[in-house]
Amino acid sequence: MSAAPEAFFDDLAELYERFTVIRDAATSPVRSWLVEQLPAGTRALDVGCGGGNNCGLLADRYDDVVGVDLSQKMLDIAATKPTRVPVRYECRDAADLTPERDGLFDLVMSVNAVFHLGPADEVLPVLRALVAPGGRLVIVDVTQPDGAAAPAEQSAYAFQTGKIIYDVSGDVDAACDSVRMMLHPRWLEMSAAAMPLTDTEFGLQYEKALPGVRITKDLIPTMSAAVWDNA
């Protein structure tokens, strides 16, 4: 039997934190793009928040910020980071989020998490339901090119990702840490259980679940983005 999803990230917490610090750095293309997408408002939710880097970004702009993740170890890391306003971190499954329990948010965001959470046609309606009228859903997620072979040779994919990290950051140690993470037994087990959508699948499934969605392919290599407004 495969481990529960939280077990994967509990075991990978320190390596994954190193990876996300680079991904979420102020100079990264992902962070720059995210900043441009944030709507005005008071309440913001980060689903699959991990170590809380993006919660810090949200806390600079919103007064009520909630970060949800399955991994308590990742949330423990997040809780050590200072923010302008306190962030409320909750160890929960995204499937348990409801407007009745949690209210509505001006921004619902998820970065590198949706494909871990379950099938897109099940996860996206849950996130969409949490967006207040006039609010926005912003998602960045891992994708794979159409026709790409299944990553049977995980080492090749790991080194490709390491190169992307180096190209973005110039940080050799961070690139090496990303390779170590992606060759960790827990990461290999998790990858076998949760394959990213192809570029075409991403477009089709997001357009079906989020009519009017705006999609950006290859925000950086292997990552696509979606923005949906609850007009």
Side-chain angles (χ1 to χ4, degrees), residues 14 30-31 55 87 93-94 96 131 150 161 169 176 180 182 192 217 220:
E14 292 182 4
V30 174
R31 175 55 65 95
C55 288
V87 175
D93 189 329
D96 295 334
V131 181
T161 302
S169 67
C176 291
R180 292 188 188 99
M182 298 186 73
K217 293 184 178 180
I220 62 173

Side-chain angles (χ1 to χ4, degrees), residues 36-113:
E36 294 174 356
Q37 311 309 315
L38 302 182
T42 301
R43 300 195 77 214
L45 169 68
D46 185 1
V47 180
C49 67
N53 295 325
N54 288 322
C55 288
L57 168 69
L58 300 182
D60 287 340
R61 292 161 174 81
Y62 301 90
D63 292 330
D64 184 5
V65 179
V66 180
V68 173
D69 201 276
L70 274 174
S71 170
Q72 185 60 54
K73 287 190 178 179
M74 295 299 297
L75 294 176
D76 290 343
I77 291 172
T80 66
K81 299 175 181 177
T83 54
R84 181 187 68 89
V85 297
V87 175
R88 187 165 73 255
Y89 290 110
E90 300 182 1
C91 189
R92 295 171 58 190
D93 189 329
D96 295 334
L97 293 164
T98 66
E100 294 75 19
R101 174 176 173 176
D102 302 289
L104 298 176
F105 296 85
D106 302 299
L107 171 72
V108 177
M109 184 172 77
S110 184
V111 179
N112 275 36

Side-chain angles (χ1 to χ4, degrees), residues 73-181:
K73 287 190 178 179
M74 295 299 297
L75 294 176
D76 290 343
I77 291 172
T80 66
K81 299 175 181 177
T83 54
R84 181 187 68 89
V85 297
V87 175
R88 187 165 73 255
Y89 290 110
E90 300 182 1
C91 189
R92 295 171 58 190
D93 189 329
D96 295 334
L97 293 164
T98 66
E100 294 75 19
R101 174 176 173 176
D102 302 289
L104 298 176
F105 296 85
D106 302 299
L107 171 72
V108 177
M109 184 172 77
S110 184
V111 179
N112 275 36
V114 168
F115 86 100
H116 291 301
L117 300 177
D121 60 352
E122 297 177 10
V123 176
L124 295 178
V126 172
L127 302 184
R128 180 186 63 200
L130 296 163
V131 181
R136 177 172 287 179
L137 173 61
V138 177
I139 295 172
V140 178
D141 211 12
V142 179
T143 53
Q144 55 181 335
D146 294 333
E153 185 51 64
Q154 184 69 19
S155 61
Y157 185 67
F159 281 103
Q160 177 190 7
T161 302
K163 182 179 184 302
I164 293 169
I165 293 295
Y166 178 75
D167 290 344
V168 168
S169 67
D171 189 328
V172 174
D173 290 337
C176 291
D177 280 346
S178 74
V179 173
R180 292 188 188 99
M181 179 186 73

